[in-house]
Amino acid sequence: MKTLDLQPLTAAAFAPYGDVIETAGHEAQDMNRGMAMRWPDLARINTDADGQVTIGRVRSRRYPQPWDLTRVERHPLGSQAFIPLETTPFVVVVAEAGDPPKPGALHGFVTDGAQGVHYRRGVWHAPLLTPFAAMDFIVVDRIGPGENCEEYRLPQGETLRICV
Amino acid sequence: MKTLDLQPLTAAAFAPYGDVIETAGHEAQDMNRGMAMRWPDLARINTDADGQVTIGRVRSRRYPQPWDLTRVERHPLGSQAFIPLETTPFVVVVAEAGDPPKPGALHGFVTDGAQGVHYRRGVWHAPLLTPFAAMDFIVVDRIGPGENCEEYRLPQGETLRICV
């Protein structure tokens, strides 16, 4: 079974898939007369005209290691952001929007413990993989009518082993 | 100078102003085949047709105590959510949307250390008040053309003392 290479998550490497939600590389603005600073516009949530943007919360169990990835999914009607509430890294596995990912199209990243991610609309992605600890996330995504989750089961023999 | 009464933040007490972003009182759904649970749809972000929804980050200094509140603001074109990244309470001061708040119209709440808040469009609110510690927040709100921040300076003699 192939083991997926994992690389550190950076905005440049993640650009084909969406945004890294982080303050690094973004300029802060003054707010509330010096009592606060703000990094605005780190990720713009995108939905179809029938959708609305909603905030939810996700609690992920710790994933056993190694983890064999057999399925990915995508959301054709809206983008989706996950922001961790703990300072613990997690693993992001993605492939570009379009046809279901061919062998080699899935790429793996490890966050730095502060980063969140924003998947562009239609980007294939694994479930949130949290190999270091159980973790809570804020999720910002689309809600509305229509079927907004498509799953793709990797063909037999293409299962990807994730090992941190 | 009048000191503002502060009450514990609850969804019921905050209903005229928006949503409390919390898992309490919301049912969790299974996600990722038992590896995660999700509380969906805790707050829906609302914008005018020209706006988009964006995610940012805010870092607030610790506010000295007592704090004398002289100004409130509102965002006529979109709602606005703040979700704390630390488990520290903070203070929320709001008045219902409409004309600038008359004496007695502003109400103060203290969060329980896990709650976030979502201000309905046009709701008058103080800056984020963080009297216990410097705090980081995720902010989800509207970005786009047009003037989306109106400030109201409390008339002399109506300054409100905030004291936790």
Side-chain angles (χ1 to χ4, degrees), chain A residues 41-42 44 52 54-55, chain B residues 39 41-42 44 52 54-55:
Chain A
D41 205 17
L42 301 178
R44 290 195 191 190
Q52 290 181 273
T54 188
I55 298 176
Chain B
W39 294 265
D41 204 16
L42 301 178
R44 292 195 191 190
Q52 290 181 274
T54 189
I55 297 175

Side-chain angles (χ1 to χ4, degrees), chain A residues 108-124:
Chain A
F109 300 92
V110 184
T111 68
D112 69 4
Q115 296 163 324
V117 292
H118 175 223
Y119 303 128
R120 186 167 299 149
R121 201 201 282 212
V123 160
W124 294 100

Side-chain angles (χ1 to χ4, degrees), chain B:
Chain B
M1 187 182 309
K2 193 172 180 315
T3 296
L4 186 65
D5 287 331
L6 299 177
Q7 56 178 305
L9 182 64
T10 65
F14 200 67
Y17 316 108
D19 303 298
V20 178
I21 300 175
E22 61 184 346
T23 56
H26 295 267
E27 201 163 342
Q29 300 174 347
D30 181 64
M31 184 180 172
N32 298 341
R33 294 177 167 73
M35 287 305 291
M37 52 202 285
R38 177 172 180 167
W39 294 265
D41 204 16
L42 301 178
R44 292 195 191 190
I45 307 298
N46 165 276
T47 84
D48 67 323
D50 293 334
Q52 290 181 274
V53 176
T54 189
I55 297 175
R57 188 161 169 148
V58 166
R59 181 163 298 158
S60 178
R61 297 172 65 186
R62 182 177 179 173
Y63 275 64
Q65 290 294 301
W67 180 260
D68 293 339
L69 182 69
T70 57
R71 290 176 175 85
V72 291
E73 64 183 37
R74 66 171 172 181
H75 308 300
L77 303 181
S79 66
Q80 188 177 45
F82 291 94
I83 302 138
L85 291 171
E86 3 269 325
T87 51
T88 305
F90 60 98
V91 173
V92 181
V93 178
V94 283
E96 288 192 43
D99 292 334
K102 293 199 166 32
L106 283 162
H107 289 85
F109 300 93
V110 184
T111 68
D112 69 4
Q115 296 162 324
V117 290
H118 175 224
Y119 302 128
R120 189 167 297 151
R121 200 199 283 209
V123 160
W124 294 101
H125 56 276
L128 283 177
L129 295 172
T130 49
F132 300 109
M135 289 181 71
D136 274 25
F137 295 83
I138 292 296
V139 53
V140 186
D141 64 0
R142 183 253 189 208
I143 194 168
E147 182 48 52
N148 191 26
C149 190
E150 294 175 13
E151 196 178 72
Y152 173 65
R153 193 176 158 82
L154 302 180
Q156 218 171 2
E158 290 184 22
T159 298
L160 274 175
R161 176 154 285 187
I162 313 284
C163 192
V164 293

Side-chain angles (χ1 to χ4, degrees), chain A residues 95-151:
Chain A
E96 289 191 43
D99 293 333
K102 293 197 166 29
L106 284 162
H107 289 85
F109 300 92
V110 184
T111 68
D112 69 4
Q115 296 163 324
V117 292
H118 175 223
Y119 303 128
R120 186 167 299 149
R121 201 201 282 212
V123 160
W124 294 100
H125 56 276
L128 284 176
L129 295 172
T130 48
F132 300 109
M135 289 180 70
D136 274 26
F137 295 84
I138 292 296
V139 51
V140 186
D141 64 359
R142 184 253 190 210
I143 194 167
E147 182 46 53
N148 191 26
C149 190
E150 294 175 11
E151 195 178 71

Side-chain angles (χ1 to χ4, degrees), chain A residues 40-96:
Chain A
D41 205 17
L42 301 178
R44 290 195 191 190
I45 306 298
N46 165 275
T47 84
D48 66 323
D50 293 333
Q52 290 181 273
V53 176
T54 188
I55 298 176
R57 187 163 171 148
V58 166
R59 180 162 299 158
S60 178
R61 297 172 63 185
R62 182 177 179 175
Y63 275 66
Q65 290 295 298
W67 180 260
D68 294 339
L69 182 68
T70 57
R71 291 178 175 84
V72 290
E73 64 182 39
R74 67 171 171 180
H75 308 299
L77 304 181
S79 67
Q80 188 177 47
F82 291 95
I83 302 135
L85 291 171
E86 2 269 325
T87 53
T88 306
F90 60 98
V91 172
V92 181
V93 178
V94 283
E96 289 191 43

